Amino acid sequence: MRFTFTDEQRAFQRAVRDFLAKECPPEHVRAMTTDPTGRSPKLWKGLAGLGVVGLTVPEEFGGLGGEEIDLVLLLEEAGRAALPEPLLETAAVGVPMLRAIGGDLAREWLPRVAAGDAILTVAMSGVTLADAHVADLILTPNGPVLPSDLHLERLPSIDATRRLFAFDGAGIDDAAFDRGALAAAAVLCGIAARVIELGATYAKERHQFGKPIGSFQAVKHLLADALLGLEFARPLVYRAAWSVATGDEQRSRYVSMAKSYASDAAMNACRASLQVHGAIGYTHEHDLHLWLNKATALAHAWGTAAWHRERIAL
């Protein structure tokens, strides 16, 4: 088993990072919090043009035919940019569900997803639906549903870019749930990396007693501990991606390890960066809150750290 990525996978990651730095800066994320849909068709098309949206779509349907090991690095970049688009629900969970269903449904929808002409969402827990207001197809254990067939009742969400709706029905099966939890863990790693960078940058710029606050040991330790947590979480996320991609019998165990560590790493990194910033990151005027809200929402979605630890213990 090799945990290193290929040069092509790393090059794809850098390309997505450069694209999101240009097309999804904090100003765009902030604008999406108050946008009526919270989504940008232009950005979604751009991601599809890069091959990100259709990465897990088979080549015969216009995708790249990739798997979770290829997708996990791109999901990290989504977290780093606080990407509002439903990449997790569409590429990480919805597409594999469509592949498993197969038949006419897959032949109709997979090419549309790869082209950036369709958004998928899934019945995450039997209680909520994410982004159902912009989805073209909703996948449930009882079959696909068109959003027009549902009465969408919006629920409150910590992350204003991630719209949640009530759903009265069964949740997705364990395999799909594990794909969602793995994807959330990867996004959380990207969020952790970004808030640590924001904290380190601020620590170099902010001066107290005639020197940068980053020169003080207490500040160094905060950020070093946050980085340590992230470096412990990342290998677990990559291991879980391998387990999901290869159908490992211990898949759920490794996914739970990844999600619990990534959730803790992201929340610890957010707290450290917030403290380094002197708590100004709580305010809506500061960009840091965009990542704080997304980390908090994702840490509680697809199973909390405590829930996943309990699943490992069973």
Side-chain angles (χ1 to χ4, degrees):
M1 183 188 306
R2 296 183 66 229
F3 279 105
T4 56
F5 292 95
T6 66
D7 292 343
E8 289 78 11
Q9 288 168 327
R10 288 297 187 186
F12 198 2
Q13 180 187 23
R14 289 193 294 272
V16 172
R17 180 178 297 189
D18 292 343
F19 173 82
L20 291 177
K22 179 181 178 183
E23 302 295 337
C24 187
E27 296 78 12
H28 173 79
V29 180
R30 185 184 297 278
M32 290 298 102
T33 63
T34 55
D35 184 87
T37 67
R39 296 292 172 261
S40 166
K42 178 186 175 185
L43 180 54
W44 190 250
K45 267 288 190 182
L47 288 167
L50 276 177
V52 177
V53 177
L55 189 144
T56 53
V57 174
E59 293 183 32
E60 64 181 296
F61 297 123
L64 297 184
E67 52 190 17
E68 284 72 18
I69 298 171
D70 304 300
L71 184 61
V72 72
L73 293 177
L74 310 187
L75 290 167
E76 276 194 67
E77 295 309 315
R80 178 185 290 274
L83 177 71
E85 306 299 321
L87 184 63
L88 186 161
E89 288 80 4
T90 298
V93 188
V95 167
M97 288 181 72
L98 273 180
R99 290 198 320 245
I101 295 171
D104 291 340
L105 191 72
R107 281 191 288 274
E108 176 186 356
W109 285 95
L110 288 177
R112 294 180 61 183
V113 171
D117 294 330
I119 290 174
L120 306 176
T121 194
V122 298
M124 181 167 54
S125 63
V127 178
T128 58
L129 283 170
D131 297 302
H133 64 308
V134 293
D136 298 285
L137 187 68
I138 300 171
L139 296 167
T140 78
N142 298 321
V145 177
L146 295 175
S148 57
D149 295 334
L150 297 177
H151 170 68
L152 296 178
E153 177 187 352
R154 188 171 172 183
L155 301 173
S157 174
I158 295 172
D159 178 6
T161 66
R162 184 169 177 265
R163 311 290 162 81
L164 296 178
F165 298 87
F167 178 70
D168 184 15
I172 53 179
D173 61 26
D174 288 346
F177 178 84
D178 281 346
R179 293 180 190 280
L182 164 65
V187 174
L188 284 163
C189 284
I191 293 172
R194 184 61 178 270
V195 297
I196 292 170
E197 290 173 4
L198 290 172
T201 300
Y202 185 79
K204 296 174 185 173
E205 297 171 349
R206 173 71 169 163
H207 284 66
Q208 282 289 340
F209 309 111
K211 58 178 70 174
I213 62 172
S215 64
F216 301 130
Q217 195 171 49
V219 175
K220 290 179 182 177
H221 284 180
L222 267 179
L223 295 174
D225 286 346
L227 184 60
L228 188 64
L230 173 60
E231 292 304 314
F232 270 113
R234 267 189 175 134
L236 293 172
V237 174
Y238 301 157
R239 174 62 167 85
W242 183 88
S243 293
V244 171
T246 60
D248 183 3
E249 292 181 354
Q250 296 294 314
R251 178 202 69 215
S252 294
R253 179 181 180 85
Y254 286 111
V255 167
S256 283
M257 292 170 66
K259 180 61 166 60
S260 59
Y261 270 77
S263 294
D264 286 348
M267 294 309 300
N268 186 45
C270 286
R271 284 191 291 270
S273 189
L274 183 64
Q275 193 167 352
V276 170
H277 278 84
I280 194 173
Y282 271 127
T283 65
H284 283 270
E285 289 75 16
H286 198 282
D287 289 342
L288 184 61
H289 93 279
L290 300 172
W291 283 272
L292 299 185
N293 289 349
K294 188 167 285 295
T296 304
L298 273 183
H300 289 82
W302 301 99
T304 63
W307 184 90
H308 280 286
R309 288 195 177 95
E310 186 173 345
R311 185 165 78 150
I312 294 169
L314 292 176

